[in-house]
Amino acid sequence: MRLVGAAGGSTHIPRRVLCAVARSPDLSADNCKMGITNRRSWEKSAENEEREKEAAAAAGRFAGVPEAEEGSDVDSDSDLETEGTHRLGELVKETLYLRSCRVHSVVPASCFLRQGSDPELNLRHRGLGPQGAQALASSLNSNPCVKRLDLRDNGLCGAGTEALASTLSKSSCICDVDLSENQLGAVGAQAICAALIANPTMQKVQLAGNGLEEQAAHYLAELLLAHTGLKSLDLSYNQLNDQAGETLGPALAENTGLIELNISWNHLRGPGAIAFARGLEANIFLRVLDISYNGFGDPGASAMGEALRTNNVLEELNMSNNRISAMGARSLGLGLRVNQTLRSLVVSRNPMQNKGCLAVLKSVQDNPVSALELLDFSEIQVNREFDDLASSVKAVLPGLCIKTAAHRVEYKKELLPVFRSSLPASAPK
């Protein structure tokens, strides 16, 4: 006798079993049905197991992993498993991102989908906006490959930055982020600074051109005080004024860890410039400082001279276009007479004229232990007296390169060790 199974096949029941059931008083028709039902359940589970095996094999082929043959080497199996895991991770990342884009009604960024295992995710000038940032933020957590995130000029604003901040605060991989030209404002600055404080792995942050003002300076000061792992910070092309300088100066004095700071193209003047210079005087970590295009003036130059007398760490200082006259240059020179660590000083495009240039150069001449390698007076007219003095100084310091309006000498800048190691081998130094 045959019964039709659940999968459409037949099940054979031996005749002697049926006879035994008929003769036995202990086996009722219900018990017989139960036995047949159990048989069907077993067959169905076996069939489901077979289907699961076929689905798993198909998934492996879809992910680009061929089925391993029996007797294959262990190393080959390990390579296939690694490749399969990697491609599965890529598929998960893309699926999450596309789903998030649909939720936020934004067009997916093809660069993100093509990113693969590249450690740099470059999405600058893509017009993501706040919604695009929210879609991206929910997908970055599933991408452990990204170490550098470039989102320059995407109109993120405060809302988009807040969405990204949550991801950046938890990321253990991203250590370099560029959020320049995104209209962050005070809201975005608060969100990003709080995220960075919570993430000790972050080493380099660029926040240039974000309209940061006095209020944002308070959040930046908290970042400088709390984050000891941050090595490079770019705050250029913002609107940090005198009050901001008075806020950032004390924070810079207490900061431990920052090596490079760019605060050029801001509005640090008067009391703010003096307070900032005093912060540099007490700092013992900063090695590269760019304060060009700020309007420090003579009071700020005098404060910087005092800072150079005490600071024995700073190696590169850019003070170009800061309204420094000959008087301010003489005050700056007082620090150069005793400083032993500064390697590069740029004071170009200042109204110090020939007198100011002479004062600075004489101060260098009076310092037998000066470490200067570059002295830049570009865009300032000098006379023969300066040229003669420059020749005398070079006789004492043969490694010193002096740039003037008439003499443009190429100077090869060597990157600091902390930044040199992060560049590819083919990158120029």
Side-chain angles (χ1 to χ4, degrees):
M1 179 177 181
R2 291 183 179 275
L3 297 177
V4 178
S10 58
T11 302
H12 177 72
I13 302 178
R15 182 180 299 276
R16 62 178 177 274
V17 174
L18 294 176
C19 294
V21 170
R23 291 193 300 267
S24 174
D26 298 328
L27 294 177
S28 63
D30 291 339
N31 289 333
C32 183
K33 289 181 181 179
M34 183 179 298
I36 296 174
T37 301
N38 291 338
R39 176 68 176 268
R40 290 176 178 174
S41 300
W42 177 85
E43 289 180 350
K44 186 173 182 179
S45 62
E47 181 183 2
N48 290 339
E49 183 178 354
E50 186 66 25
R51 288 181 178 176
E52 289 175 0
K53 289 181 179 179
E54 293 177 358
R61 289 192 295 271
F62 178 74
V65 184
E67 295 181 64
E69 297 179 359
E70 292 185 2
S72 60
D73 295 336
V74 175
D75 292 340
S76 177
D77 291 343
S78 178
D79 292 341
L80 291 176
E81 290 175 3
T82 302
E83 182 182 358
T85 302
H86 171 70
R87 296 193 179 184
L88 180 59
E90 289 293 312
L91 181 61
V92 171
K93 179 195 72 173
E94 294 176 7
T95 302
L96 289 175
Y97 178 58
L98 293 175
R99 184 182 302 168
S100 184
C101 287
R102 285 195 298 270
V103 170
H104 293 92
S105 302
V106 295
V107 178
S110 58
C111 291
F112 182 77
L113 298 175
R114 296 195 304 265
Q115 194 259 342
S117 58
D118 194 330
E120 178 177 359
L121 178 56
N122 188 337
L123 294 175
R124 59 169 56 190
H125 313 307
R126 297 287 171 177
L128 297 180
Q131 293 294 101
Q134 293 176 15
L136 178 65
S138 60
S139 307
L140 280 175
N141 288 328
S142 63
N143 191 343
C145 299
V146 177
K147 298 185 181 301
R148 183 176 191 277
L149 179 61
D150 189 344
L151 295 175
R152 177 184 288 263
D153 185 26
N154 272 286
L156 303 183
C157 302
T161 309
E162 287 180 322
L164 283 170
S166 176
T167 297
L168 293 176
S169 65
K170 303 172 185 176
S171 174
S172 59
C173 300
I174 301 176
C175 58
D176 182 347
V177 61
D178 187 350
L179 296 175
S180 302
E181 303 172 22
N182 274 295
Q183 308 167 30
L184 302 188
V187 175
Q190 182 180 17
I192 196 65
C193 287
L196 296 177
I197 291 174
N199 185 352
T201 63
M202 195 66 65
Q203 296 184 12
K204 185 175 182 180
V205 178
Q206 294 173 260
L207 300 175
N210 275 302
L212 304 183
E213 299 178 341
E214 178 185 353
Q215 185 177 356
H218 292 280
Y219 308 127
L220 294 170
E222 293 176 3
L223 175 64
L224 291 175
L225 291 171
H227 203 307
T228 59
L230 188 62
K231 304 300 180 186
S232 177
L233 179 61
D234 184 357
L235 300 175
S236 60
Y237 293 92
N238 281 295
Q239 300 174 24
L240 299 172
N241 55 15
D242 295 350
Q243 289 74 23
E246 294 177 352
T247 300
L248 293 174
L252 180 62
E254 299 295 329
N255 174 263
T256 56
L258 194 66
I259 294 178
E260 180 179 25
L261 175 61
N262 185 351
I263 198 167
S264 62
W265 290 92
N266 277 279
H267 308 300
L268 299 181
R269 302 167 185 167
I274 295 174
F276 189 86
R278 288 175 179 169
L280 174 65
E281 182 177 354
N283 184 279
I284 59 173
F285 285 89
L286 198 65
R287 297 169 67 179
V288 180
L289 176 62
D290 188 347
I291 54 174
S292 59
Y293 292 86
N294 266 289
F296 264 53
D298 291 343
S302 178
M304 288 300 297
E306 289 295 325
L308 292 177
R309 291 173 63 90
T310 305
N311 185 289
N312 59 356
V313 179
L314 191 68
E315 296 182 7
E316 299 180 22
L317 175 61
N318 189 341
M319 294 187 66
S320 62
N321 213 327
N322 263 289
R323 305 178 184 178
I324 302 173
S325 69
M327 182 181 297
R330 283 193 291 268
S331 300
L332 181 63
L334 295 177
L336 296 176
R337 287 183 180 180
V338 297
N339 186 276
Q340 301 179 25
T341 60
L342 194 65
R343 295 169 46 227
S344 171
L345 175 63
V346 182
V347 289
S348 59
R349 297 184 179 180
N350 278 296
M352 61 179 61
Q353 302 178 337
N354 184 73
K355 291 181 180 180
C357 296
L358 279 171
V360 171
L361 195 55
K362 286 179 180 178
S363 297
V364 176
Q365 185 183 37
D366 294 339
N367 185 356
V369 291
S370 174
L372 273 174
E373 299 174 2
L374 173 64
L375 199 51
D376 191 344
F377 297 104
S378 299
E379 308 299 330
I380 303 176
Q381 294 295 326
V382 294
N383 56 22
R384 183 174 296 276
E385 181 183 4
F386 178 89
D387 291 337
D388 293 340
L389 179 59
S391 300
S392 301
V393 173
K394 283 188 175 183
V396 180
L397 300 172
L400 177 61
C401 173
I402 301 176
K403 289 185 179 182
T404 64
H407 301 86
R408 296 191 176 276
V409 184
E410 290 298 326
Y411 171 72
K412 182 179 180 181
K413 175 183 175 181
E414 183 179 359
L415 290 177
L416 295 174
V418 67
F419 303 119
R420 190 185 309 145
S421 61
S422 62
L423 291 177
S426 59
K429 293 183 178 181

